[in-house]
Amino acid sequence: MPHTDQRDENQHPDQQPGARVHREVVSFVRRSARMNPSQQKAWERWSPTRVVPVETRETSTSVAPQPVPDWDAIFGRHAPIVVEIGSGQGDSLVPMAKARPEVNVVAFEVFEPSVASTLSKLAREDVDNVRIVIADGAQGLDLLFEPGQVVELWTFFADPWHKARHHKRRLVNDDLAATVVRQLAPGGHWHLATDWADYADWMREVLDQAPGLRNVHAGSGGWAPRWDARPLTKYERRGIEAGRDIHDLTYVVDGGDT
Ligand SMILES: C[S@@+](CC[C@H](N)C(=O)[O-])C[C@H]1O[C@@H](n2cnc3c(N)ncnc32)[C@H](O)[C@@H]1O
């Protein structure tokens, strides 16, 4: 069942008074997760077949070590696996998965009402090649796939965490880079986009020196051209309207043909 209680925006949902919960540094804050009636309806109709339950640790979003799920059985077919971390309301996920029916897409998102909205879009667009895991995607990428099993990763408009004391919460960091190198197939691509220049520079600093990753556009300034597979979402539009430049980045895992 989804969380439906109202909570303080900064309190972790699993932190009940008196409970001893180890707080991890994570790239998200789970806000109050009340669903509107149409989200509730979509959740009830579609989550049993589209949301993949995983074993969690102390908090409901932290992934426990466990046998790797049988993704072929879950999707009902064998196909290359693409992962998105932070799929939000599915504004990129749904059209991008629809445009690539030959891949199986596993999306990680922690905010259940956004997942419910995504479920509704998937149904409306008749997209069947997406499954969603409600958990921390950095941990999920690490623990829920065999090394080299993922062919591509998307992280679009990740929360910027502007304050210096919050930089440790940024999704893109050395640990995620190491996970990507281990879990993506050689030659696999990691596509990123952000509307925040300071986060874009941070991504370059972290990823340009990450062992096993190569910036595909290193020879031409390091920034990727806007990836035309990526639809214009509200985050990109908001950034543009506020006068910010959008930065795309593409990295490839060493060892492939590309
Ligand atoms: C700013 S939104 C962008 C959503 C989407 N990528 C888009 O462009 O429309 C970032 C989303 O990432 C989710 N998120 C942040 N860190 C995450 C993590 N480690 N695992 C899964 N979801 C995460 C947040 O809940 C939020 O919905």
Side-chain angles (χ1 to χ4, degrees), residues 84-86 92 154-160 171 191-196 199 203 226 230-240 244-248:
E84 177 168 26
I85 299 180
S92 304
W154 307 334
T155 54
F156 302 140
F157 302 94
D159 302 297
L171 174 68
H191 295 277
L192 308 96
T194 180
D195 57 327
W196 293 102
Y199 199 10
M203 291 176 186
R226 188 185 184 289
R230 199 169 56 66
L232 182 69
T233 65
K234 73 172 176 200
Y235 289 99
E236 179 165 11
R237 192 174 305 115
R238 269 190 210 157
I240 292 169
R244 295 193 290 275
D245 290 333
I246 309 301
H247 292 87
D248 278 67

Side-chain angles (χ1 to χ4, degrees), residues 26-31 61 84-93 107-112 114 133-140 154-161 169-171 193 195 230-231 233-236 238:
V26 290
S27 60
F28 49 87
V29 174
R30 271 184 120 195
R31 299 175 300 274
T61 52
E84 177 168 26
I85 299 180
S87 50
Q89 301 192 344
D91 292 337
S92 304
L93 172 66
F108 290 88
E109 174 53 57
V110 292
F111 191 51
E112 282 152 341
S114 295
V133 179
I134 302 180
D136 184 332
Q139 296 177 10
W154 307 334
T155 54
F156 302 140
F157 302 94
D159 302 297
W161 294 108
R169 283 177 163 267
R170 285 179 163 176
L171 174 68
D195 57 327
R230 199 169 56 66
T233 65
K234 73 172 176 200
Y235 289 99
E236 179 165 11
R238 269 190 210 157

Side-chain angles (χ1 to χ4, degrees), residues 29-252:
V29 174
R30 271 184 120 195
R31 299 175 300 274
S32 157
R34 192 174 294 278
M35 293 186 187
N36 66 35
S38 85
Q39 288 170 329
Q40 190 69 42
K41 205 169 144 202
W43 177 271
E44 280 160 18
R45 172 71 182 86
W46 296 107
S47 66
T49 50
R50 299 292 185 273
V51 174
V52 179
V54 297
E55 286 174 41
T56 56
R57 289 183 290 165
E58 297 142 313
T59 65
S60 63
T61 52
S62 62
V63 181
Q66 58 200 282
V68 168
D70 182 346
W71 292 109
D72 289 0
I74 288 166
F75 281 93
R77 65 169 187 171
H78 178 72
I81 296 178
V82 173
V83 168
E84 177 168 26
I85 299 180
S87 50
Q89 301 192 344
D91 292 337
S92 304
L93 172 66
V94 177
M96 289 179 73
K98 185 169 185 170
R100 298 201 23 211
E102 73 286 1
V103 298
N104 289 340
V105 185
V106 180
F108 290 88
E109 174 53 57
V110 292
F111 191 51
E112 282 152 341
S114 295
V115 171
S117 298
T118 304
L119 292 171
S120 168
K121 288 182 185 123
L122 288 170
R124 203 163 51 236
E125 294 295 320
D126 202 17
V127 177
D128 190 33
N129 60 333
V130 172
R131 298 293 181 274
I132 303 175
V133 179
I134 302 180
D136 184 332
Q139 296 177 10
L141 180 64
D142 188 24
L143 294 168
L144 301 176
F145 303 92
E146 302 288 357
Q149 194 181 7
V150 174
V151 298
E152 195 172 303
L153 174 66
W154 307 334
T155 54
F156 302 140
F157 302 94
D159 302 297
W161 294 108
H162 291 298
K163 292 179 183 159
R165 69 189 160 88
H166 286 153
H167 284 176
K168 59 180 181 291
R169 283 177 163 267
R170 285 179 163 176
L171 174 68
V172 177
N173 60 24
D174 291 336
D175 286 349
L176 182 61
T179 301
V180 169
V181 169
R182 194 169 55 249
Q183 298 300 73
L184 263 63
H189 284 75
W190 183 4
H191 295 277
L192 308 96
T194 180
D195 57 327
W196 293 102
D198 66 318
Y199 199 10
D201 289 340
W202 163 285
M203 291 176 186
R204 288 285 305 277
E205 275 169 39
V206 172
L207 301 182
D208 281 2
Q209 55 78 47
L213 278 183
R214 183 172 57 79
N215 185 332
V216 171
H217 298 279
S220 51
W223 305 109
R226 188 185 184 289
W227 193 24
D228 53 10
R230 199 169 56 66
L232 182 69
T233 65
K234 73 172 176 200
Y235 289 99
E236 179 165 11
R237 192 174 305 115
R238 269 190 210 157
I240 292 169
E241 282 168 8
R244 295 193 290 275
D245 290 333
I246 309 301
H247 292 87
D248 278 67
L249 286 163
T250 311
Y251 288 82
V252 62

